Amino acid sequence: MFRKIFFWLHKWLGLVTGLIVLIVSITACINVFADELREYFYSERFFSRAENGPVMNFSDLRRNAQEAIGREYKISRCEVYPEPGRNWIFRATSTDPNGIGHWNYYKYYYRVYINPYNGKVVHVEDTRNEFFQLVLNTHMYLLLGKRVGGLITGISTLCFLVLLISGLFLWWPKKWKIKHFRKGLLLKRNAGPKRRNYDLHNVLGFYTLVPAILICITGLVFAFDWADNSVRYIANGAKTVEKRVIPLSSPNEDYIPEAIDGAIAALLKTHSQADVFSIRFREKNTDPLDVQVRLAEKRTHLFKWYYFDRNTGKLLLKYGHEDVKGGEKFRSMNFDLHTGAYSGLPTKLLAFFVSLICASLPVTGFIIWYNRTKKKGRQNKRRKVNPDIANSASCAG
């Protein structure tokens, strides 16, 4: 009974969401190494020859970036690299959450690459049309915008989670004997095309089950608030997660240059070996200067977070990854768990191959369904041509 239900779910959820799972999984393979690929293909944007002497004041670099794109596009974020020879990146982004389609969702999105030693603008990128950004937004929203595309990919991810769980029940042998388990663990040698395709679906699906479920759950955290809250609640030991209170800055429409210059200069000395500082310029006039220092290369869960008064540069709050517990800690790891960045190259390679196998599952599954449908069609055709076959079959039953 339960096996029939799981089979029905597995078949129809797979057919309905198969194409979306294929697209999301293929783009996931690229996104795993997107940062490395960007730096390789756009090396002249990311790297400049390190020059003697200190870097320029942060506020001067920010002003140069703003002038490069025009005052109508507001700088909202910046990546500061302590490593010598790295250009700093200023971003100007504005989105419409209700916009349908990629180019309506993003009102504008620019990245300005600046040499921090001489203040020269190296490149201005229209990120809305940049290849790896298009891949990322295909992965998240199918280029349909957050409101429509995010809902479709979110529901498809939830369906894929059900497919993985139902697939385990279908994989599990009816008879608990070693020889039956072995069939689901090994690819059969010298098998025909149909059996080989079945084994690829069945065996590879089993071996990637656990990491694929983890990728699905962390993807759902990004897609739905209820999933985010549920994961926080469970990771916090079934207790409500208390949100960290961010202190207010003394009000001002903009950030005082001397304040942010002093704060960034101090952090560059304190964290000279860090990977990157992610700086956000918030909208409200009481929002502090928000700086996340990422300590390890291309990993977000190892961090120090600083909040400075936008007028005076005074430190208002500081905490690090060692200070977060329970649900908050798990949430801070969500991005790295989802992308495979958690432990560097080994887990990235794992995420790449798991995503590649996940992309193959809708294809091999569709072929299994097509072959069975084709076989049933031939059998029905024979029964119509020769009714004696159907009568003899019913008598045999």
Side-chain angles (χ1 to χ4, degrees), residues 24-297:
V24 169
S25 299
I26 288 293
T27 51
C29 293
I30 301 173
N31 284 322
V32 167
F33 292 104
D35 289 339
E36 291 83 356
L37 291 169
R38 273 193 180 101
E39 291 177 5
Y40 176 79
F41 287 108
Y42 308 146
S43 59
E44 72 285 351
R45 303 181 193 179
F46 285 89
F47 302 97
S48 293
R49 185 173 61 85
E51 300 179 15
N52 295 326
V55 297
M56 292 177 58
N57 286 333
F58 180 84
S59 58
D60 293 331
L61 296 172
R62 181 189 174 203
R63 185 179 63 251
N64 291 356
Q66 189 67 76
E67 290 175 353
I69 57 175
R71 293 291 170 183
E72 64 271 28
Y73 306 118
K74 188 176 180 181
I75 297 290
S76 56
R77 188 168 174 175
C78 177
E79 280 83 46
V80 169
Y81 293 90
E83 180 186 354
R86 292 293 303 258
N87 294 328
W88 294 3
I89 306 168
F90 290 83
R91 300 192 203 184
T93 312
S94 180
T95 60
D96 177 7
N98 295 318
I100 298 176
H102 173 71
W103 289 271
N104 291 323
Y105 172 67
Y106 280 106
K107 296 177 182 178
Y108 60 82
Y109 190 179
Y110 291 99
R111 280 190 175 109
V112 183
Y113 299 78
I114 287 188
N115 185 322
Y117 296 95
N118 56 30
K120 291 183 178 179
V121 174
V122 175
H123 185 78
V124 177
E125 172 188 278
D126 184 356
T127 309
R128 290 199 308 173
N129 301 313
E130 189 269 326
F131 173 76
F132 293 104
Q133 188 66 36
L134 290 171
V135 170
L136 176 61
N137 279 268
T138 302
H139 177 74
M140 295 192 301
Y141 309 135
L142 301 175
L143 295 180
L144 297 174
K146 185 175 182 178
R147 183 180 180 183
V148 175
L151 184 63
I152 294 173
T153 56
I155 292 174
S156 298
T157 302
L158 183 60
C159 291
F160 189 60
L161 180 60
V162 175
L163 283 165
L164 291 170
I165 296 170
S166 61
L168 176 62
F169 279 92
L170 295 174
W171 174 92
W172 203 270
K174 293 180 181 179
K175 296 181 180 179
W176 290 33
K177 293 183 178 180
I178 294 176
K179 64 178 182 179
H180 296 298
F181 278 99
R182 191 178 294 145
K183 289 181 181 179
L185 295 172
L186 299 172
L187 298 173
K188 187 178 180 180
R189 295 182 180 181
N190 303 320
K194 292 182 181 179
R195 178 54 191 265
R196 188 181 301 114
N197 179 77
Y198 176 82
D199 282 353
L200 287 172
H201 187 81
N202 202 38
V203 176
L204 294 183
F206 174 77
Y207 283 118
T208 58
L209 180 68
V210 173
I213 286 177
L214 179 62
I215 290 173
C216 279
I217 292 173
T218 51
L220 289 172
V221 168
F222 288 125
F224 299 114
D225 289 339
W226 61 262
D228 189 3
N229 294 331
S230 298
V231 167
R232 288 175 187 263
Y233 184 74
I234 294 169
N236 210 44
K239 297 178 182 178
T240 303
V241 181
E242 293 184 7
K243 292 185 178 180
R244 190 177 298 275
V245 178
I246 305 302
L248 298 179
S249 173
S250 48
N252 199 311
E253 289 301 321
D254 202 354
Y255 296 82
I256 302 300
E258 293 79 7
I260 62 173
D261 288 345
I264 301 304
L267 289 179
L268 285 170
K269 290 180 180 179
T270 304
H271 297 289
S272 59
Q273 301 302 312
D275 179 43
V276 64
F277 301 172
S278 180
I279 304 170
R280 295 171 179 84
F281 300 101
R282 304 293 187 179
E283 290 293 328
K284 294 180 181 178
N285 63 2
T286 55
D287 285 334
L289 177 67
D290 172 350
V291 184
Q292 184 194 48
V293 179
R294 297 176 187 172
L295 302 174
E297 185 178 8

